[in-house]
Amino acid sequence: MALLEIEDLEVEFPNRHGTLTALRGINFTLDESERLGIVGESGAGKSMAAFAILNLISEPGRISKGRIVFEGRDLAKLDEEEIRAIRGDRISMIFQDPMMTLNPVLTVGVQMIETLKAHRDISDEDARKLALARLREVQIPSPEARLDAYPHELSGGLRQRVVIAIALLSDPAIIIADEPTTALDVTIQAEVLALLLALCRDHATALILITHDLAVVSQITERIIVMYAGSIVEAGATRQIIDTPQHPYTIGLIAALPEQNAPGQPLNQIRGSMPSLNNIPPGCAFAPRCDYATDICHRIVPNLTTAHGQSVACHHAGQLQPQESVRDTERAVS
Amino acid sequence: MSDTTQSAPGPLSRLLASDIFYRFRRDPVAIVSATIVLLFVLAAALAPLIAPQNPYDLTQLDIMDSEVPPFWQEQGDPRFLLGSDHQGRDMLSTILYGTGLSLIIGVFAVLLQAFLGVSIGLIAGYNGGRIDAFFMRLADIQLSLSTLMIAIIALAVFQAAFGSELYQDLAIIMLILVIGIAEWPQYARTVRASVLAERSKEYVDAARVIGLPRSRIMIRHILPNTLSPVLVISTVQVAEAIIAEASLSFLGLGMPVTQPSLGSLIRSGFEYIFSGSWWITIIPSIVLVVLILALNLLGDWLRDALNPRLYSRR
């Protein structure tokens, strides 16, 4: 049985224009110690999905439909007290900017011990020992000294390691990492990703990696979900998605990777931008930007259909020859 | 920031090494005003030891010594360095004791203000919505009535209801309560504004993700991050509270004549100013002005020192 099962999740924000649906019909599962990537542009709903799992959607947003089943319980229906026991203990989260996620006025040690004490009966001394052990695990040099340091005394890379150590503290079943390396520079990025991957393997922890960087996802995850305008447009095994993307949006994303371009040539991009959630076009949300869109795309919302383990929400799924077309343009360009 | 790898230094060496202390040392105005405030506090605390006379002890008073001018004047008496008032009380002793009373009332009233204001600001800012709207409208209403007006009404009603005998015994507590309660909106507004800014920061989300309870997030995570403006307004508020107490005493609603604060001293001498005994009013007034000025200058300095945006200017 899957560790986490999300069924038909919908998140709404009432506003003055009526109701804005930030997530619609999200379905996915996560197995134990599986690594899942969620990819999409800014505003596609990636982070919203993560926050929804922990029931942390800020007011006035709310989960209006669907179930989030974790260890046999529906997280969407738990009360504040019950969900709090799960947050940070069974499911923990790593945020994008380590400059912002640590409280500037508390030492690293205080923040780690506090996390432990929030969930279990543990003496300060034991908590400190465990915190030290975790700091060692994330390869922080001279961890004893770091424990008494304030966040501003640490570099960005070190801080993100501290954040990872905090996320690992209570040996969670799932770690949700929301763009964990976006705020770091490239060399540190690779180190932190490698560390995260190694830790998840060692602890058999499931990972949900949220990012807009397909390269990052392809290195780390086993499965990928591609989101667009609050819906899942494509899902499948990482290799499958990278090698044979079916949805025009995924094809566009892959074509947009700098690696796909010859040096000196302008980068490929998907024209236009994502529609505002206030006026999602009827039919396929991606249709206005899609090179392959036909009449039906503008009228009818495509369903997510699965073939060979790969799910695609496109009327023309399977009819496109994406790899060829990408390669063709590439050749033509170079 | 260079000694980060050493083990934690003690609180004192930490303070001495801090930016704040460095800026303090380089600012003569801050040093002078802090010294003045410190001297006042020490003098007031040690009043029973250093004052030549106990002004509360009626047996030590002699009406024949009344209205002796300060020592540098012709009829001055070395026993009364700063002269004496119309009851023969030594002005120096009375001022020392009175400064103590003024400071006690100022500090405790501000503690009460801060406690009320910070709690309300924190709750209003963190919860938002109706709770926020309710408390902030309450603050608006309170601010539209002046502190003095509220205090005069409250104290006059209390005096009328319970008689002035009881009032004299409870004057200190009443003044602390009235000034403390009347001024909470200053704190509430300041704290709420900082809480609103802090609440949207990621470390608060992170604390929620960790699974900490609301109360702990509010008190342990947000509150310490809002304290520097609180510290700044506190110095100014102490000055304000001392002025409020002095004004009330001057109006006859504050400390009784038998237990005079600076304000009631100024008032009691005011009646004699035209008969030539100027020192009974003027000397406590100077003390009051110097104390308030020192507190305000200290507050100004603190505001500049705690505001990183002003760092580069000096």
Side-chain angles (χ1 to χ4, degrees), chain A residues 80-95:
Chain A
E80 187 64 24
E81 206 53 31
E82 291 168 314
I83 186 85
R84 224 185 57 211
I86 290 175
R87 287 180 197 151
D89 193 41
R90 302 295 300 143
I91 305 180
S92 56
M93 192 158 169
I94 299 169
F95 288 92

Side-chain angles (χ1 to χ4, degrees), chain A residues 87-88 100 103 114 119 150, chain B residues 14 203 209-210 216 221 225:
Chain A
R87 287 180 197 151
M100 304 293 299
N103 190 327
E114 175 182 66
H119 294 292
Y150 285 91
Chain B
R14 239 186 151 123
Y203 74 84
V209 161
I210 285 169
R216 194 169 171 86
H221 286 253
N225 280 299

Side-chain angles (χ1 to χ4, degrees), chain A residues 54 56 84 87-88 93 95 97 100-106 110 114-115 118-119 145-146 150 152-153 166, chain B residues 1 4-6 8 14 201-206 208-214 216 220-222 224-225:
Chain A
L54 285 172
L56 273 175
R84 224 185 57 211
R87 287 180 197 151
M93 192 158 169
F95 288 92
D97 191 350
M100 304 293 299
T101 43
L102 292 170
N103 190 327
V105 301
L106 300 177
V110 167
E114 175 182 66
T115 308
H119 294 292
R146 304 296 181 214
Y150 285 91
H152 72 265
E153 297 172 330
I166 291 179
Chain B
M1 304 297 124
T4 50
T5 46
Q6 288 163 14
R14 239 186 151 123
K201 292 197 178 161
E202 247 182 16
Y203 74 84
V204 177
D205 280 337
R208 291 173 71 205
V209 161
I210 285 169
L212 298 180
R214 289 168 82 85
R216 194 169 171 86
R220 193 71 200 260
H221 286 253
I222 297 184
N225 280 299

Side-chain angles (χ1 to χ4, degrees), chain B residues 106-144:
Chain B
V107 168
F108 279 93
V110 165
L111 285 180
L112 182 61
Q113 290 171 16
F115 174 74
L116 285 175
V118 169
S119 323
I120 291 175
L122 200 55
I123 291 170
Y126 190 69
N127 291 298
R130 283 191 190 164
I131 300 173
D132 184 29
F134 172 76
F135 280 121
M136 286 306 112
R137 293 302 80 74
L138 204 64
D140 289 343
I141 294 169
Q142 176 111 49
L143 283 177
S144 65

Side-chain angles (χ1 to χ4, degrees), chain B residues 68-80 83:
Chain B
V68 176
F71 72 96
W72 61 84
Q73 294 222 324
E74 260 176 41
Q75 290 132 8
D77 185 330
R79 284 186 302 144
F80 302 105

Side-chain angles (χ1 to χ4, degrees), chain A residues 139-255:
Chain A
Q139 294 158 19
I140 287 182
S142 53
E144 287 89 352
R146 304 296 181 214
L147 215 47
D148 293 315
Y150 285 91
H152 72 265
E153 297 172 330
L154 306 178
S155 70
L158 275 186
R159 278 189 233 185
Q160 195 62 307
R161 283 166 196 263
V162 168
V163 171
I164 293 174
I166 291 179
L168 271 178
L169 268 178
S170 49
D171 244 324
I174 305 176
I175 290 182
I176 302 174
D178 188 358
E179 309 247 8
T181 56
T182 312
L184 305 175
D185 68 61
V186 184
T187 46
I188 309 284
Q189 254 184 33
E191 281 177 31
V192 168
L193 282 175
L195 176 72
L196 198 58
L197 180 63
L199 289 170
C200 284
R201 280 195 180 134
D202 291 351
H203 291 261
T205 309
L207 176 72
I208 299 181
L209 181 67
I210 296 169
T211 179
H212 57 257
D213 190 342
L214 268 172
V216 165
V217 169
S218 61
Q219 286 163 27
I220 288 206
T221 61
E222 296 157 338
R223 270 197 315 132
I224 293 183
I225 288 173
V226 183
M227 287 188 69
Y228 185 79
S231 316
I232 295 178
V233 292
E234 185 159 8
T238 302
R239 281 264 64 87
Q240 229 176 351
I241 302 263
I242 300 286
D243 292 342
T244 57
Q246 299 285 320
H247 196 281
Y249 180 59
T250 320
I251 296 169
L253 282 182
I254 292 172

